[in-house]
Amino acid sequence: MVRLFLSSVTRPVRPKRCVFRPQLELLEDRTLPSCSGPFNDGVNDGDGEFILHTDWQARYESVAIQTDGKIVAAGTDSGRFLVARYDPCGNLDPTYDGDGIANGPSGGVGRALVLQPDGKAVVAGEINTGSGLSDVDVAVARFTAGGALDSTFGGGDGWLRFGLTAKRYDYAWGIGLQAQGANAGKIVVAGETQGSASNGTDSLLARFTANGQLDSGKGGFGQPNRKGEAPGYTVTKVNATDYDAFARLVVQSDDKIVVSGYADGNYGRQFLARYTANGLPDPTFSGDGFAFFSEVGLPGAQPVFEIALQPDGKIILAGGAPGSDGANDLMVARFLPNGTLDTSFGGGSGRVLLDIDGTASVTNEWAAGVVVQPDGKIVVAGAAASAGLFYKVFVARLDSNGTPDPSFGSNGFKFGQPPPPGYGFSPYALARHSDGSLLVVGDAYIGGTYANGGFPWVMRFSSGSPLLASGGPVVAASVTTPLDEAALEPILHEALARWQAAGADTSSLNAIDIRIADLGGATLGLAAGNTIWLDDNAAGWGWFV
């Protein structure tokens, strides 16, 4: 069992700041922001609070969280690649390119973002080469941790352009980083290419080296020729007579590449596919690398593109599908690592359909992002439309078996706060913060038409109890009870019980001593050997539930 000791370490009593009522939160990594901003300024604080830039026409299509908790969003700003960075409280970060906003090459549209371990942001999308819509190439830009275009990438200007055929178009919709062996730091993008076809498109994967060069030649990416030289890309003609494309991409821990996509122009033949680390269809996945919805029993009339990976190798896919009321419902499916549906999910079907308001009113729902929490719960962000383009943003959380989590919002759903009168919100992406909160990004428009839009926004939801109480900190100077072993012990036992129920080996925890002491200053905890010390009152701020 985990042993608890009340340490005999004492320090002079330090002045107490305003403290929260001392509570503990189970199984959540939480950090207290040392800033003040839109997300904790006491104005509309709480689930679904948003930051909307109505004086700046742009669109966020992707979001990621830095290791220091800063929020990075990417997209398009007046025909240029865009990366914006916020501190955890929602302020644009002035240390990022001077005002929190960095731009890439003109004529470009940023679609997908990935953060490197060194803090650099890599954005993939497309760029118009100047010859009209028929001459568009894949573009990838890299920004330094300070927001400047990285001169060590591409041609020395921080970005690269890649196209297979002149006067045709190539798009990138997804991006990921590989991490194993010789492939460490290489960048993989997924999208579509028109190639030399007179109509239609083919699905495209391409890989670039860490310095922004096409990864071709021996040991490169794609099908090698008889000399062992790879082209640096893979083109797959999924449908011989129509449009097909890869829509999203994630990279497994073994560097295999998982993509979602479709094989005709109206999403009627959707699929989940997996490629080897070097860009060849993986025969260990559904026999030929492709799991078509029609073959595994999933509906496919609406886009189902959002992907997330579980630590056990299972794959979560989220999107939309027709519901019983004739409208589009939210669909979440789970695949086993071999490409078959997971019958332990969704009551044996491998999928769940969720209608946020039942059949009482007809709404169309779809997914804009999906993440898996450390405790195995699944969070999906999306929107529901009931009239025109005025969408209601939501996040939904499912237990690991696909059942809506009753402890999350209303029947497993939380809804964003409504936009200003006349505005509509369209979500594009979701990320989970290290403090447990959920960040959704997108763009807003006016008057129910995209022609009057393009205003970026960031929306925040708590994953359970809010990190900060609505209205800001609860001032309770008379409540200064420190954490003690009586409060900690039942939480630890409950945590152990949950880990054991999930099949985790907890035997090594028996050797760990957890002690409580006044650590001084701003220190929340310390670890040395098998001993962990927790500050008795969280550096004067108090512990949470």
Side-chain angles (χ1 to χ4, degrees), residues 58 85 89 97 99 101 143 151 267-268 271 309 323 370 404 428-429 460 471 501-502 527-528 541:
R85 191 167 75 187
C89 296
D97 206 37
D99 59 0
I101 302 166
F143 297 80
S151 61
Y267 311 118
F271 58 80
L309 298 177
V370 60
Y428 277 83
R460 180 185 180 275
W541 289 99

Side-chain angles (χ1 to χ4, degrees), residues 50 52 54 390 417-425:
F50 58 84
L52 172 62
T54 57
F390 288 92
Q417 297 180 18
Y423 283 82
F425 279 165

Side-chain angles (χ1 to χ4, degrees), residues 463-500:
S463 66
S465 300
L467 176 62
L468 296 177
S470 181
V474 177
V475 179
S478 62
V479 183
T480 58
T481 305
L483 177 68
D484 59 23
E485 60 183 18
L488 181 61
E489 187 167 14
I491 298 294
L492 291 173
H493 286 305
E494 175 66 15
L496 284 171
R498 292 195 186 187
W499 290 333
Q500 290 164 353

Side-chain angles (χ1 to χ4, degrees), residues 156-531:
D157 51 5
W159 65 283
L160 64 88
R161 186 171 68 201
F162 168 72
L164 289 179
T165 307
K167 306 298 182 182
R168 301 290 179 179
Y169 60 83
D170 307 275
Y171 292 95
W173 301 104
I175 189 170
L177 288 177
Q178 293 184 317
Q180 300 300 315
N183 292 334
K186 291 183 178 180
I187 301 160
V188 183
V189 301
E192 60 187 289
T193 178
Q194 192 176 25
S196 58
S198 58
N199 54 39
T201 59
D202 297 330
S203 300
L204 171 69
L205 285 177
R207 188 169 73 187
F208 303 95
T209 63
N211 63 0
Q213 306 302 313
L214 186 66
D215 188 17
S216 58
K218 292 187 177 180
F221 190 81
Q223 180 64 54
N225 61 21
R226 61 183 181 179
K227 296 180 180 179
E229 298 167 337
Y233 58 88
T234 296
V235 175
T236 304
K237 185 178 288 294
V238 184
N239 189 326
T241 61
D242 208 337
Y243 291 86
D244 59 74
F246 293 143
R248 300 289 186 271
L249 174 154
V250 293
V251 178
Q252 296 185 168
S253 59
D254 60 1
D255 275 356
K256 289 185 177 181
I257 302 157
V258 180
V259 289
S260 61
Y262 62 92
D264 67 21
N266 61 3
Y267 311 118
R269 194 169 181 234
Q270 295 187 72
F271 58 80
L272 185 69
R274 190 168 69 198
Y275 283 69
T276 66
N278 283 331
L280 302 178
D282 181 4
T284 69
F285 188 83
S286 195
D288 61 358
F290 281 75
F292 288 94
F293 287 13
S294 59
E295 296 172 0
V296 300
L298 287 180
Q302 296 294 327
V304 186
F305 294 151
E306 308 304 327
I307 317 173
L309 298 177
Q310 294 188 173
D312 60 4
K314 293 180 180 179
I315 304 164
I316 304 295
L317 196 60
S324 60
D325 58 3
N328 196 53
D329 287 349
L330 180 67
M331 184 175 78
V332 183
R334 188 164 71 194
F335 286 77
L336 297 173
N338 64 5
T340 61
L341 280 174
D342 180 6
T343 56
S344 70
F345 187 82
S349 66
R351 64 177 174 91
V352 293
L353 281 176
L354 302 172
D355 190 338
I356 66 170
D357 58 1
T359 57
S361 62
V362 178
T363 58
N364 287 291
E365 294 105 32
W366 71 94
V370 60
V371 297
V372 178
Q373 294 188 167
D375 61 2
K377 294 185 178 183
I378 300 159
V379 180
V380 183
S386 57
L389 293 173
F390 288 92
Y391 305 141
K392 180 187 292 185
V393 179
F394 67 80
V395 288
R397 189 165 77 184
L398 309 178
D399 288 329
S400 59
N401 63 2
T403 304
D405 180 2
S407 69
F408 187 80
S410 176
N411 300 316
F413 283 86
K414 291 185 177 184
F415 298 94
Q417 297 180 18
Y423 283 82
F425 279 165
S426 184
Y428 277 83
L430 166 71
R432 183 182 184 275
H433 199 280
S434 58
D435 67 13
S437 61
L438 304 162
L439 284 305
V440 184
V441 300
D443 72 344
Y445 41 86
I446 304 173
T449 172
Y450 285 120
N452 298 323
F455 303 100
W457 54 262
V458 181
M459 185 177 289
R460 180 185 180 275
F461 296 84
S462 68
S463 66
S465 300
L467 176 62
L468 296 177
S470 181
V474 177
V475 179
S478 62
V479 183
T480 58
T481 305
L483 177 68
D484 59 23
E485 60 183 18
L488 181 61
E489 187 167 14
I491 298 294
L492 291 173
H493 286 305
E494 175 66 15
L496 284 171
R498 292 195 186 187
W499 290 333
Q500 290 164 353
D505 181 5
T506 61
S507 59
S508 61
L509 298 179
N510 293 330
I512 295 177
D513 292 341
I514 299 181
R515 304 189 182 197
I516 303 166
D518 180 353
L519 299 180
T523 303
L524 295 175
L526 295 171
N530 290 334
T531 302

Side-chain angles (χ1 to χ4, degrees), residues 8-214:
S8 61
V9 175
T10 60
R11 294 179 185 270
V13 176
R14 62 184 182 273
K16 298 290 184 179
R17 289 165 282 178
C18 296
V19 296
F20 295 90
R21 293 178 174 86
Q23 299 170 326
L24 283 175
E25 180 153 7
L26 181 64
L27 296 178
E28 284 283 2
D29 290 329
R30 294 266 172 162
T31 56
L32 284 170
S34 59
C35 52
S36 177
F39 288 147
N40 64 353
D41 60 3
V43 180
N44 296 323
D45 287 343
D47 280 322
E49 183 181 14
F50 58 84
I51 304 161
L52 172 62
H53 301 279
T54 57
D55 57 347
W56 169 36
Q57 284 200 292
R59 179 176 66 247
Y60 292 152
E61 294 198 31
S62 190
V63 62
I65 310 300
Q66 293 186 173
T67 56
D68 62 1
K70 291 183 178 180
I71 304 158
V72 182
T76 305
D77 175 8
S78 302
R80 299 175 296 173
F81 272 40
L82 161 70
V83 181
R85 191 167 75 187
Y86 299 80
D87 67 27
C89 296
N91 303 294
L92 281 168
D93 180 5
T95 69
Y96 198 72
D97 206 37
D99 59 0
I101 302 166
N103 289 114
S106 297
V109 178
R111 303 289 188 183
L113 162 72
V114 66
L115 295 180
Q116 295 186 171
D118 60 3
K120 293 180 179 181
V122 187
V123 182
E126 73 265 11
I127 190 165
N128 192 309
T129 60
S131 302
L133 294 177
S134 64
D135 199 358
V136 177
D137 288 344
V138 168
V140 181
R142 189 165 73 190
F143 297 80
T144 67
L149 281 168
D150 184 1
S151 61
T152 68
F153 187 80
D157 51 5
W159 65 283
L160 64 88
R161 186 171 68 201
F162 168 72
L164 289 179
T165 307
K167 306 298 182 182
R168 301 290 179 179
Y169 60 83
D170 307 275
Y171 292 95
W173 301 104
I175 189 170
L177 288 177
Q178 293 184 317
Q180 300 300 315
N183 292 334
K186 291 183 178 180
I187 301 160
V188 183
V189 301
E192 60 187 289
T193 178
Q194 192 176 25
S196 58
S198 58
N199 54 39
T201 59
D202 297 330
S203 300
L204 171 69
L205 285 177
R207 188 169 73 187
F208 303 95
T209 63
N211 63 0
Q213 306 302 313
L214 186 66

